[in-house]
Amino acid sequence: MLSVKVRKRLGDGRPNGAGRAAFTLDLSFDAPNGVTTLLGASGSGKTTTLRLIAGIVAPDEGAIAVGGRVLFDSAEGINLPIRHRRVGFVFQDYALFPHLTAAQNIAYGMKAKGAGAKLERAGELLALFHIEHAAHRLPHELSGGEQQRVALARALASDPAIVLLDEPLSAVDEATRSRLLDEIAAAQRAANVPFLYVTHNRVEAERLGAYSVTLGHGRIIHEERLK
C-alpha cells in the first residue's frame, strides 16, 4: 500500500515571462497493491506527484509511506534519499543508457550481486517481456516497444517496493500499446507491489488500472474503483 499526504508549492508567483506562476499540489490518497492510474490534464500535477514519491523533489509538508515504511515525514524530519526508497521509475522517454546493451541496462539497477546472478536475473526479466532476442542490442538498435520493455524490466530489476510509470506508452503505436498494457499488468502481478501509472488516456486507464485518481490544478477531483 502506498500512502501519500503531501503539500508542495511550486513556482515563484511571477507569470507572464517574469517567472513561473505559483502552483500548489495538495494531495491525500492511498494506492493498494495493483495498478492505480493517475489521470488529469497537462499541468495538473501528475508528474510532480511521481517525483515527490521518488524523492526527486521534497514536499513542503506531509508524509509518504510504502507498505508502512516511511519515505518522507516532515513532522518527524524523515526524507530518505532516492537510493534508499526502493522505487522503480519508468520515464516517458525511456532514459536508457545508450552505451549499454539491453541486458546491461537491466542489470545496472540491481543491488550488489555477482555478475552471474545479475545476468540470470536480467535474463528472467527479458523473458518476462518477451525480448530475450534483444539482450545484446544497444538502445538505438531497438524498436520503441522494445526500448519500453527494457525500461520496464530495468525498473523491476532493483526489487522495488513501488513502481512509478510516467506516461510510458505515449510514444508507441496502438498495437504495441495494447500488448504492453497486458505485459505491464502481468509484471505487476509478478512483482506484487503498487504500480502508479500516469496517463491522459481514460480507455487505457480503465483497461489497466484497478483504481484511478484524477487530478485538477493540484487537487484530487475524483477517485474511483475501476475493477
Side-chain angles (χ1 to χ4, degrees):
M1 171 77 76
L2 165 70
S3 178
V4 176
K5 185 174 184 179
V6 294
R7 182 178 175 85
K8 177 67 177 179
R9 187 178 186 275
L10 302 165
D12 55 16
R14 296 181 297 163
N16 301 321
R20 181 179 177 184
F23 172 85
T24 299
L25 189 71
D26 193 350
L27 304 177
S28 179
F29 69 94
D30 293 326
N33 279 9
V35 180
T36 297
T37 55
L38 204 57
L39 292 158
S42 296
S44 61
K46 303 184 301 299
T47 295
T48 299
T49 301
L50 299 191
R51 289 165 62 86
L52 292 171
I53 296 167
I56 299 169
V57 177
D60 295 330
E61 59 183 279
I64 302 169
V66 179
R69 179 171 175 260
V70 178
L71 307 184
F72 177 88
D73 190 320
S74 58
E76 298 294 330
I78 298 171
N79 185 14
L80 292 186
I82 295 172
R83 65 184 181 278
H84 293 154
R85 292 199 176 202
R86 293 183 58 207
V87 172
F89 206 130
V90 181
F91 297 90
Q92 187 173 348
D93 62 356
Y94 315 138
L96 299 177
F97 297 111
H99 62 292
L100 299 181
T101 66
Q104 289 169 336
N105 263 283
I106 294 168
Y108 184 87
M110 295 181 191
K111 295 179 179 178
K113 293 181 179 180
K118 283 188 175 184
L119 287 174
E120 181 179 355
R121 178 58 176 153
E124 292 171 357
L125 291 166
L126 286 162
L128 176 64
F129 290 101
H130 312 292
I131 49 172
E132 303 98 314
H133 63 278
H136 303 295
R137 296 180 187 173
L138 295 171
H140 75 270
E141 298 173 314
L142 304 174
S143 69
E146 288 170 337
Q147 289 184 47
Q148 190 54 269
R149 289 175 171 94
V150 173
L152 288 163
R154 186 179 62 183
L156 294 175
S158 61
D159 188 27
I162 182 170
V163 176
L164 310 175
L165 306 101
D166 191 5
E167 296 191 69
L169 307 185
S170 60
V172 298
D173 60 71
E174 190 64 36
T176 301
R177 181 180 294 115
S178 181
R179 291 192 296 271
L180 278 166
L181 286 171
D182 291 338
E183 291 173 19
I184 290 170
Q188 188 285 318
R189 291 192 296 270
N192 194 31
V193 298
F195 276 39
L196 190 58
Y197 183 100
V198 167
T199 181
H200 288 280
N201 189 319
R202 176 71 185 182
V203 174
E204 189 174 287
E206 290 179 349
R207 176 173 170 180
L208 181 62
Y211 301 88
S212 74
V213 177
T214 303
L215 304 186
H217 304 292
R219 304 293 193 276
I220 294 174
I221 58 176
H222 185 67
E223 293 184 72
E224 182 180 1
R225 185 183 181 95
L226 300 174
K227 297 176 183 176

